C-alpha cells in the first residue's frame, strides 16, 4: 500500500463496538473499576494503522445523536437496536480524547452518519489523487469502492486484514458492477439497521437477480418475467425493496469540506495523550507509542546475571546464550552433561523454582515432551531440549525426578495441572507445595482472562513471544513444537518460565491483599493434583452399548420424522428453522401472532415449542425429534471418537478457571452437559462402565445442596427445621405457601413449590415462574409473595446481599471466593438486575463449589493414604463418581458419604445420595 498520498478514514463507532463485543466475555477493568476493553481495542487498532500502514493523512468519523435523513424517510430505521451499552457510553469520550492526542481530526456532522461523511470525503480525496482506505468492519461501505478507494476490514478472531478493491467486491457479492452492492442490500435488507428488504430474498437470490437485471428498480419493472413465489414477493414488496435500497445508499454529497491539511498526520501530542493513557492505565500501549525504559529493562539493570558466576570462564559449561531483543536476559540452552548436572544442583539448592514444559500436543494423554525451561530468578532461565524417542526422553527426565519430587521445594508454573500430567507420562510426580499463576489470578479476577500473555501485559507491561509466531495461527494446520528450530523454542520456553516466575511475585501480593491465600493454597492448588489424577485415570465406555443406542436413536428419529410429516401434511427439512416456521405458523397457523427473530424468520426455539407442546402434538414431536438427533450426534456418536488409543479410556479436561462461580467445567467430553432430565438422555450413562469385573461404578450426589446453603445463610428457622428433621423441603414449602397441612400437600402443589424453591435462588420473577409452571402471571406473583411472607429470613438475606454488594461491588462464598459485580449500581435496569440476582446466587452457588472441592481433596487424600485400588474418576455438578473395587466398596461408601457431609460445617445437615452398579446409570 505504498502511495505518496494515502488517506485512512476510520468508522469510529463500528470499531468501538467491535472492540467491546470482542472482549465482552473477558472484560478488561482497571484499578478504578472502569471497563477499558473497548477503549483499548480501539486505541490498539488506531495505533496499528498508524505504524503498519503509515498513512500520510487520516481522519476518524463519528455518528452524532441527531436523527438523519434515513430516520425521516423510515421511522423504523435502526429501531430494533438495543440501547447503547453503558461501557460504550463511557468509552466514546475517552476514544475522542485519544484521537485528539494522536493529532487526528474528528469528523462528524448532525443529520448524517459516519458512513456519509466517509463516503463524501473518500470520493473527494480520490479525485484529488489520494489512495483512500475506509477502515470499518461494515460491509455496506463496499458500495463506495473504486479504483482508488478500498474497503479495509480490520483483522479479527485470527483472520487477517481484508482489503477489498473492485474485483474483490464483485467476487464477494457475486455481482456484475460495484454499484449493485446497494441493490443487494435493498433486496435482502439489513437486520442490524432494521432495513426490511424483500422477505425471503438472501444473498444467492439477490445475486441471481442482479446478474439478470441491472437494479432493484429494474427487477420491479420486469416482475412479470419472474415466476412462482419470487414473482409474488417482488410484486408485494418491490416498493419496500426500493426504499431499502435508498436507506442503504451512502450519501456522498454531504456539505463537509475536504481539508487536506487538516487530515495530514504529523504524530501524537505527548501532553494530550500521556495523561489519558495514565488515567486508563494503558502502560503497555504507552510504551509502544512513546518508547522509553520498560519495567523489565530496569529490572535487568539491577539483576546479577549468570548461572555460574563463581566459576572461572574456562570452567563454565558449554551453553548457548540467547538474548531477547533489547532486554538484558540470560537465557541458556543446556546442551552438555556438565551443564545439566550443574542445573540440577542449582535447582536442588532452591526453596522454589519455576518451570514450563514444551510438548507436541495439548492433549496430555498423547503429548510427548520436547523440552523443559527452568527459572530461579528474574531475567534468567535455562532450556533443556529432550530427545525425540520416548525411552531416551524418559531417561533424561529421570535426572530431574529428585528435583520435582522433593517436597521441600515449591514448584511455580502457569496451568501446572497440564505439566503434572506430562511429567507423569514419564513416571515423574510433582510433590510438595505449588504456586499456579493461572489459578491465583482466577481467584483475583474470576471473570477475566488468565492466560500468560494477558497476565504479562497486566502485571509486567510486557508482550511475550506468541506461540502462533512459532507454530502458526490457530484454526489452521499448526506445526509441532518439534519442528521449530532449537533457538526459537529455547527462547520461547525460557521466556515463559522467566515471565511466570516474575508474575508469581506480583500476583501473590494481590492474593494476600484480598485474603485469598487460604482458598488458593488449601483448595484450588491441592485440587489441581486431584483433577490431574482423575484426568490421567480416565473412564471406560462401552462401545457396544453406544452402538446399540445409536441405532435405536436413528430408528426413533425416522419414526418420529414420519409422524411429523403426517401431522404437517407434507415432508420438509425439520432442521431448517425457516421451513419449520412456515409449516407451524403459516400452514398450520398454530399461533395468531408468532414471534419472529431479528432476521425476520419465525422463532422455533425450544421455549416456543415447549409452550405449544401441550396443545399441539406436532410441537411435542419436533421436540422429541430434536432430542434424539442431539443425543445421537453430540454424545452417542461422539464419545467413541474420544477414546484414547493409549488405554482405551476417555480422558476429559477439567477446567478450574472458566466458571466465575467457582464450579468446575469439563471439555472433550463435556461431562456437565450429559443430559439427566429425560429418560433417553439418562441412558447415555449406561455407556460409562468400570474397567473390568473387579470394579463397580459408585456415585455420590449432594442432595439439594444449594437449598441447604440458602437455609444456612438466611438462618430461616422453618427451612433449617425441615432439613434437620428430614422433612420433604418442597412439601414443607408447599404447606407454608398454600397454607395447608403437610399431609394435604398434593403433587401439583409440591411441583409449584419446588419450582419456587430453586427459582428464588436464581432471582426468578413472576413472569419467569408463570412461564415455567404454565400458570397466569398473577398466580405466580401470589405464590412468590406468599413465599416471602412465610420465609421472611430468606427475603432479608436476599435484600442484605444486594445492599452489601452495592457497597463493596463483590460478594463472597463461605471460603472467601469473590464474585465481582461491577454493574450492581448501573443506571441500566437490565445489567443492574443481572448483578443483583448474582449478588444473591453467587455466594450460594460458589459455596456449593467450595464444598464439593474440599470433599474431593479430602477423599483423594484418604484414598492415597489407604493406598486404595479404587479411583475417583468423574465430577459432574454436585456428584462424584468412582471406580470402586469390590473389596473396598463398603469402606469407600462409608468414607465418601462422611467426607462429603462434613467437608464444610454448617448449621444445616448435608445429605448425600450414594449408590453403585455395573454402569453409571445403575449407580445413580
Amino acid at each position: 500500500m505504498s502511495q505518496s498520498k494515502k488517506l485512512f478514514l476510520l468508522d469510529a463507532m463500528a470499531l468501538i463496538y467491535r472492540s467491546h463485543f470482542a472482549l465482552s466475555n473477558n472484560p478488561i477493568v482497571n484499578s478504578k473499576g472502569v471497563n477499558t476493553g473497548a477503549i483499548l481495542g480501539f486505541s490498539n487498532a488506531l495505533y496499528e494503522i498508524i505504524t503498519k500502514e503509515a498513512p500520510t493523512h487520516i481522519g476518524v468519523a463519528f455518528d452524532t445523536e441527531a436523527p438523519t435523513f434515513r430516520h425521516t424517510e423510515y421511522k423504523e430505521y435502526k429501531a430494533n437496536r438495543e440501547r447503547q451499552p453503558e461501557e460504550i457510553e463511557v468509552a466514546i469520550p475517552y476514544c475522542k480524547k485519544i484521537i485528539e492526542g494522536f493529532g487526528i481530526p474528528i469528523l462528524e456532522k448532525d443529520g448524517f452518519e459516519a458512513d456519509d461523511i466517509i463516503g463524501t470525503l473518500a470520493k473527494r480525496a480520490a479525485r484529488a489523487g489520494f489512495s483512500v482506505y475506509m477502515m470499518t468492519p461494515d460491509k455496506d461501505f463496499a458500495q463506495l469502492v473504486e479504483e482508488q478507494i478500498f474497503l479495509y476490514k480490520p483483522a479479527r478472531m485470527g483472520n487477517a486484514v481484508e482489503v477489498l478493491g473492485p474485483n474483490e467486491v464483485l467476487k464477494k457479492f457475486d455481482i456484475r458492477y460495484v454499484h449493485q452492492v446497494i441493490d443487494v442490500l435493498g433486496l435482502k435488507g439489513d437486520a442490524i439497521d432494521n432495513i426490511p428488504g424483500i422477505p425471503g430474498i438472501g444473498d444467492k437470490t439477490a445475486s441471481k437477480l442482479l446478474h439478470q437485471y441491472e437494479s432493484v428498480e429494474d427487477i420491479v419493472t420486469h416482475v412479470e418475467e419472474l415466476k412462482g413465489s419470487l414473482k409474488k414477493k417482488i410484486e408485494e414488496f418491490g416498493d419496500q425493496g426500493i426504499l431499502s435500497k435508498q436507506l442503504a445508499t451512502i450519501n456522498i454529497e454531504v456539505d463537509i469540506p475536504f481539508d487536506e491539511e487538516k487530515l495530514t498526520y504529523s504524530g501524537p501530542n505527548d501532553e494530550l495523550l500521556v495523561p489519558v493513557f495514565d488515567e486508563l492505565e494503558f502502560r503497555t500501549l504507552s510504551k509502544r507509542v512513546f518508547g522509553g525504559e520498560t519495567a523489565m529493562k530496569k529490572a535487568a539493570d539491577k539483576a546479577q546475571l549468570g548461572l555460574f558466576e563463581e566459576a572461572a570462564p574456562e570452567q563454565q559449561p558449554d551453553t548457548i546464550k540467547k538474548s531477547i531483543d533489547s532486554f538484558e536476559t540470560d537465557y541458556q540452552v543446556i546442551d552438555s552433561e556438565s551443564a545439566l548436572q550443574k542445573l540440577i544442583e542449582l535447582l536442588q539448592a532452591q526453596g522454589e523454582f519455576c518451570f514450563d514444559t514444551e510438548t507436541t500436543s495439548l492433549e496430555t494423554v498423547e503429548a510427548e515432551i520436547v523440552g523443559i525451561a527452568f527459572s530461579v530468578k528474574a531475567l534468567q532461565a535455562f532450556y533443556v531440549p529432550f530427545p525425540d524417542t520416548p525411552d531416551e526422553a524418559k531417561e533424561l527426565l529421570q535426572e530431574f525426578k529428585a528435583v520435582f519430587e522433593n517436597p521441600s521445594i515449591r514448584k511455580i508454573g502457569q496451568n501446572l495441572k497440564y505439566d503434572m500430567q506430562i511429567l507423569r507420562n514419564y513416571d515423574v510426580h510433582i510433590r510438595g507445595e505449588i504456586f499456579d499463576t493461572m489459578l491465583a489470578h482466577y481467584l483475583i479476577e474470576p471473570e477475566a482472562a488468565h492466560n500468560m500473555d494477558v497476565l504479562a501485559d497486566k502485571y509486567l507491561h510486557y508482550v511475550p513471544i506468541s506461540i502462533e509466531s512459532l507454530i502458526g495461527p490457530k484454526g489452521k494446520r499448526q506445526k509441532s513444537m518439534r519442528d521449530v528450530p532449537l533457538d526459537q523454542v529455547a527462547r520461547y520456553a525460557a521466556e515463559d518460565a522467566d515471565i511466570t516466575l516474575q508474575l508469581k511475585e506480583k500476583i501473590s501480593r494481590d492474593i494476600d491483599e484480598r485474603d485469598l491465600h487460604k482458598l488458593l493454597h488449601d483448595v484450588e492448588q491441592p485440587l489441581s493434583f486431584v483433577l490431574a489424577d482423575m484426568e490421567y485415570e480416565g473412564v471406560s465406555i462401552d462401545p457396544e452399548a453406544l452402538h446399540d443406542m445409536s441405532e435405536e436413536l436413528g430408528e426413533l428419529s425416522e419414526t418420529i420424522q414420519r409422524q411429523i410429516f403426517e401431522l404437517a401434511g407434507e415432508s420438509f427439512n425439520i432442521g431448517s428453522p425457516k421451513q419449520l416456521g412456515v409449516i407451524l405458523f403459516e400452514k398450520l397457523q398454530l399461533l395468531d401472532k408468532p414471534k419472529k427473530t431479528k432476521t425476520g424468520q419465525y422463532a422455533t426455539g425450544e421455549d416456543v415449542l415447549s409452550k405449544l407442546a401441550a396443545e399441539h402434538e406436532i410441537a411435542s414431536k419436533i421436540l422429541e425429534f430434536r432430542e434424539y438427533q442431539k443425543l445421537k450426534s453430540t454424545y452417542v456418536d461422539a464419545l467413541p471418537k474420544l477414546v484414547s488409543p493409549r488405554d482405551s479410556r476417555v480422558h476429559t479436561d477439567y477446567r478450574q478457571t472458566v466458571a466465575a462461580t467457582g464450579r468446575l467445567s469439563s471439555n472433550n467430553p463435556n461431562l456437565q452437559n450429559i443430559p439427566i432430565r429425560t429418560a433417553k438422555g439418562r441412558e447415555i450413562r449406561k455407556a460409562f462402565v468400570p474397567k473390568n469385573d473387579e470394579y463397580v461404578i459408585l456415585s455420590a450426589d449432594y442432595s439439594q445442596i444449594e437449598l441447604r446453603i440458602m437455609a444456612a445463610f438466611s438462618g430461616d428457622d422453618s427451612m433449617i427445621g425441615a432439613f434437620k428433621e428430614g422433612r420433604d423441603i418442597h412439601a414443607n414449602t408447599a404447606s407454608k405457601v398454600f397454607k395447608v397441612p403437610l399431609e394435604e400437600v398434593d403433587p401439583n402443589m409440591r411441583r409449584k413449590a419446588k419450582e419456587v424453591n430453586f427459582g428464588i435462588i436464581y432471582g426468578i420473577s413472576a413472569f419467569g415462574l408463570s412461564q415455567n409452571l404454565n400458570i397466569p402471571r398473577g398466580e405466580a406473583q401470589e405464590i412468590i409473595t406468599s413465599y416471602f411472607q412465610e420465609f421472611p429470613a430468606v427475603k432479608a438475606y436476599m435484600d442484605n446481599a444486594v445492599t452489601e454488594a452495592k457497597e463493596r461491588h463483590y460478594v463472597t462464598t463461605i471460603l472467601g471466593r469473590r464474585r465481582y459485580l461491577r454493574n450492581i449500581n448501573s443506571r441500566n435496569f437490565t445489567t443492574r438486575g443481572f448483578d443483583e440476582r448474582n449478588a444473591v446466587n453467587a455466594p450460594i452457588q460458589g459455596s456449593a463449589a467450595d464444598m464439593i472441592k474440599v470433599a474431593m481433596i479430602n477423599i483423594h487424600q484418604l484414598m492415597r493414604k489407604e493406598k486404595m485400588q479404587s479411583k475417583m474418576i468423574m465430577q459432574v455438578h454436585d456428584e462424584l463418581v468412582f471406580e470402586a473395587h469390590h473389596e473396598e466398596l463398603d469402606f469407600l461408601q462409608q468414607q465418601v458419604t462422611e467426607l462429603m457431609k462434613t467437608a464444610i460445617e454448617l448449621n444445616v445437615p448435608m445429605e448425600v445420595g450414594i449408590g453403585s452398579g455395573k454402569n453409571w446409570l445403575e449407580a445413580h
Side-chain angles (χ1 to χ4, degrees), residues 27-37 94 276-283 441 444-445 458-459 461 510 513-514 808-810 818 820 822:
I28 298 172
V29 180
N30 68 10
S31 63
K32 302 178 186 71
V34 177
N35 187 329
T36 60
Y94 280 112
V276 185
F277 281 175
D278 286 346
E279 181 183 351
L280 295 168
E281 300 171 9
F282 289 174
R283 289 177 285 264
H441 187 257
I444 294 165
E445 291 189 77
K458 177 181 175 64
Y459 286 96
H461 323 308
D510 281 357
E513 286 175 7
R514 289 167 172 78
R808 299 192 303 179
H809 295 274
Y810 67 87
R818 293 188 181 188
Y820 287 93
R822 294 184 172 91

Side-chain angles (χ1 to χ4, degrees), residues 344-362:
I344 292 170
E345 289 172 15
L346 176 78
L347 296 175
Q348 283 284 28
Q350 303 303 310
E352 63 180 24
F353 65 81
C354 183
F355 79 99
D356 178 64
T357 60
E358 297 303 329
T359 63
T360 57
S361 171
L362 292 177

